[in-house]
Amino acid sequence: MRLIGPNGEQLGVLPTARALAHAQDLGYDLVEIAPNAVPPVAKVLDFGKYRFEKQQEAKEAKKRQKSVTWKEVRVTPKIDDHDIETKIKSASKFLDEGDKLKITVRFRGRELAHPDRGRVLLMQIADKLKDHGTIERTPILEGRQMFMVMNPMRQQQAAPGATPPAPPAGPAARPLSPAPAGPRPALPAAARPAAAAPRPSPTAPAVVAPPARPAPAPTTPAPVTPRTPVAAPHPAPATRPAAARTTRPS
């Protein structure tokens, strides 16, 4: 196995018996920390201290972990506007504290014949709570009640008085030299630079004339030789076989 010393130093690959004897000579325990590695990795340490540190890490992780708490707000299809505002204030408080919210509409008597009213009411409440949470489960009708589930929306708010980060510094700009006051002296004709040819605009497309095609060479028509009509040969008359003479008896 690969052995690691008590201070984290690498001691190389040693047989198990030799590694155990080395740990006992130092007064420590031999703990296998990576059994699935090839070769397995073991470390020379105090097992009691190692177990205590692991327990403390587990406790700290459990303290940081926050359990999910469910809160419920119940309304009716015929709820008053003032009561809706009170329910929304309570629901926004629950969502801001990081709790899951379940909003339930209960139907009584013949109110169940109009479930659309409950669905519209739930969507109105969700629209007013859009700054505090998001809809996880859309309105569902189960029995005589319809409910909707919302998740809290955790927003990172900037600390008051915090200075916004400065923009990244760019290359230092060089100061321009001031132009001399008064009119510029006229240059003699010989010293005046020749006017440069106007440059084509970078936005205007360059116009390239197509190459000129060579004119086709005149062709002389070939002389036409008159053709002599040839009479078609008449077919020979078909010869009939001579009729066989019949001899009458005298």
Side-chain angles (χ1 to χ4, degrees), residues 76-78 105-122 141 143-146:
T76 59
K78 298 180 180 179
V105 178
R106 288 190 171 185
F107 299 95
R108 294 174 295 185
R110 300 183 64 181
E111 293 177 348
L112 191 60
H114 304 281
D116 294 340
R117 295 182 180 179
R119 184 174 291 104
V120 171
L121 178 61
L122 289 176
L141 180 63
R144 302 190 67 87
Q145 63 182 7
M146 180 181 293

